[in-house]
Amino acid sequence: MASIRRTLSPAYHDRSYQNGAGFSSPSNKFLPNGSSKHFSSSSHLPFLFNAVNIVYRKGWRRSFCRCLFFFVIGFVFGIAPIGYSDTDVRAKDFTFPELKQPHANLRFDDQIVTSVSLSVNTKLLEPKESTDIIEPLKQLIVVTPTYNRGFQAYFLNRLGQVLRLVKPPLVWIVVEEKAASHETAEILRKTGVMYRHVLCAFNSSSVKDPRVHQRNAALEHIERHKLDGIVFFADDDNVYTLELFESLRTISRFGTWPVAMLARSKNKAILEGPVCNASQVIGWHTNDKSKRLRRFYADMSGFAFNSSILWDLKRWARPFSNPIRQLDTVKEGFQESTFIEQVVEDESQMEGIPHGCSRIMNWHLHLDTDNLFYPKGWLLEKNLEVILPIK
């Protein structure tokens, strides 16, 4: 019986390959009649190759279309104005802010400061008023007579340490009689105070109080060298406060203040000095009946005066040119009053310090040290005679 064979399409003609290999179809789905018969590799190779090529091309195009589709959707949703947000980026966000100086509203003593200048002015500011000028402190001229006695070293060291605490300028005039001792000079050097060691050449052996001539030697030294300042007689055996020395600089011509004194009986303290209404002297304190005949009741360490009174006659209009000195011819206890009478005429030329004369700033102690003698050079050459063994 003759067999009937369907002629294949010219597209599926046999093709020769370079390597002589062919493709074998794993399935029959490419057959035109759906038959499950197997065909030879030589007759079906062109058909399989074209089919694979078509599938390959169609799969690449499908993937590319899908990617392009989702890219378009995402781009559309990205540029679409869905809602308003504070984080939206606008063109104005990229502009630099305008920098302005902050408004200064400072308050100082109820005054509003509207501007602050940071420039440096190298020009020196001149004081507007005379009260703005800082006046230098007045110089203090402290006069201390000293002589050889038991507590001389102790008294000088104590007074020197007090003067060391006083603000300069200050000059300490220490006066010795007959000869200047090396021991006194060594104490003065160690105190650190500016001093002048003066010698009194007057023979005071017949005088009951040799300190009168010692003070006169200091007054002559001040007058000769025209030292400008406030003169204060500070005996080495008295006790002084720093407040006293600072108050001396407020004196214009003559100042006075009350002094507390230990009575010679050592059983009571007495007060001697001015009674003041503010800085005006209106009376005097005194407890010694023998001194009630004096004109001024002030202790030797209870007053101070301007040194220019000694050498500047025109400034103070002094009617006489006699030197102002202490008098050794008057009775004991009257040297203070007779000296003050040469400096001022009455209480109207006095200044009471401190305000109201209500504070005690120094003590006058009467210590009996005349019978006590310190060895030469203030050193003990031998030890004590009694030696006690250590138990």
Side-chain angles (χ1 to χ4, degrees), residues 61-113:
R61 291 178 180 177
R62 187 183 298 109
S63 300
F64 176 78
C65 292
R66 287 179 182 176
C67 292
L68 181 60
F69 175 76
F70 287 112
F71 174 80
V72 172
I73 293 177
F75 179 79
V76 172
F77 278 97
I79 64 175
I82 298 176
Y84 176 78
S85 176
D86 293 337
T87 60
D88 291 344
V89 180
R90 293 178 175 85
K92 66 179 183 179
D93 296 331
F94 294 95
T95 59
F96 293 97
E98 184 180 358
L99 300 178
K100 296 182 179 181
Q101 184 177 0
H103 179 67
N105 187 13
L106 304 178
R107 184 174 295 274
F108 181 75
D109 293 340
D110 297 334
Q111 295 181 0
I112 299 176
V113 181

Side-chain angles (χ1 to χ4, degrees), residues 8-9 11-15 17 21-32 37-56:
L8 297 177
S9 173
Y12 298 95
H13 289 173
D14 293 341
R15 295 182 181 179
Y17 295 90
F23 293 94
S24 61
S25 177
S27 62
N28 59 355
K29 62 180 180 179
F30 299 107
L31 295 178
K37 290 182 179 181
H38 295 277
F39 297 92
S40 62
S41 58
S42 61
S43 61
H44 296 285
L45 283 175
F47 172 76
L48 293 176
F49 180 79
N50 293 333
V52 172
N53 190 18
I54 294 172
V55 172
Y56 173 76

Side-chain angles (χ1 to χ4, degrees), residues 112-124:
I112 299 176
V113 181
T114 57
S115 62
V116 178
S117 177
L118 300 179
S119 60
V120 179
N121 188 4
T122 58
K123 183 179 180 180
L124 297 178

Side-chain angles (χ1 to χ4, degrees), residues 69-355:
F69 175 76
F70 287 112
F71 174 80
V72 172
I73 293 177
F75 179 79
V76 172
F77 278 97
I79 64 175
I82 298 176
Y84 176 78
S85 176
D86 293 337
T87 60
D88 291 344
V89 180
R90 293 178 175 85
K92 66 179 183 179
D93 296 331
F94 294 95
T95 59
F96 293 97
E98 184 180 358
L99 300 178
K100 296 182 179 181
Q101 184 177 0
H103 179 67
N105 187 13
L106 304 178
R107 184 174 295 274
F108 181 75
D109 293 340
D110 297 334
Q111 295 181 0
I112 299 176
V113 181
T114 57
S115 62
V116 178
S117 177
L118 300 179
S119 60
V120 179
N121 188 4
T122 58
K123 183 179 180 180
L124 297 178
L125 297 179
E126 298 179 357
K128 298 180 180 180
E129 298 180 359
S130 59
T131 56
D132 297 335
I133 301 176
I134 301 177
E135 297 182 358
L137 296 177
K138 293 181 180 180
Q139 179 175 239
L140 300 182
I141 305 173
V142 182
V143 177
T144 301
T146 185
Y147 57 95
N148 186 14
R149 62 192 190 279
F151 290 97
Q152 181 185 10
Y154 167 72
F155 289 151
L156 286 177
N157 277 289
R158 182 181 63 179
L159 180 57
Q161 294 303 318
V162 174
L163 297 179
R164 186 176 183 177
L165 301 176
V166 180
K167 295 180 180 180
L170 182 145
V171 57
W172 188 18
I173 301 179
V174 180
V175 186
E176 282 192 294
E177 57 179 356
K178 296 181 180 180
S181 63
H182 297 285
E183 294 81 8
T184 301
E186 184 178 1
I187 290 179
L188 297 179
R189 286 193 298 267
K190 291 181 178 180
T191 57
V193 181
M194 186 174 64
Y195 70 93
R196 296 190 180 186
H197 199 177
V198 179
L199 177 63
C200 177
F202 184 82
N203 186 8
S204 58
S205 58
S206 59
V207 181
K208 188 174 183 180
D209 190 0
R211 294 178 297 180
V212 174
H213 296 281
Q214 290 177 283
R215 297 188 188 102
N216 288 337
L219 294 175
E220 183 181 356
H221 180 83
I222 295 172
E223 182 179 353
R224 183 188 311 115
H225 297 281
K226 295 184 178 181
L227 300 181
D228 191 10
I230 303 299
V231 180
F232 172 50
F233 298 121
D235 293 341
D236 55 4
D237 58 347
N238 292 352
V239 180
Y240 307 95
T241 63
L242 291 177
E243 182 183 0
L244 172 61
F245 294 97
E246 297 301 330
S247 301
L248 295 179
R249 291 192 165 98
T250 63
I251 297 175
S252 176
R253 176 171 181 168
F254 184 93
T256 182
W257 56 91
V259 178
M261 297 185 296
L262 183 64
R264 296 187 180 276
S265 60
K266 309 295 188 299
N267 58 357
K268 64 178 181 179
I270 59 178
L271 188 66
E272 188 173 66
V275 179
C276 303
N277 181 13
S279 61
Q280 181 181 4
V281 178
I282 59 176
W284 299 91
H285 290 290
T286 182
N287 293 323
D288 195 345
K289 296 181 180 180
S290 61
K291 297 181 181 180
R292 292 185 179 181
L293 299 177
R294 295 187 301 173
R295 174 64 180 88
F296 302 108
Y297 299 89
D299 187 75
M300 186 62 69
S301 61
F303 65 90
F305 60 94
N306 197 312
S307 64
S308 60
I309 297 177
L310 301 175
W311 45 267
D312 194 348
L313 303 180
K314 296 181 179 180
R315 177 180 178 183
W316 304 103
R318 286 176 52 189
F320 52 88
S321 59
N322 296 333
I324 299 177
R325 300 290 187 268
Q326 291 189 6
L327 305 178
D328 59 346
T329 57
V330 298
K331 188 179 179 180
E332 182 183 2
F334 285 81
Q335 287 89 356
E336 297 89 345
S337 180
T338 54
F339 180 80
I340 296 175
E341 292 175 7
Q342 302 175 59
V343 179
V344 295
E345 297 178 359
D346 51 24
E347 286 81 0
S348 62
Q349 298 178 349
M350 297 182 180
E351 308 164 37
I353 58 172
H355 186 78

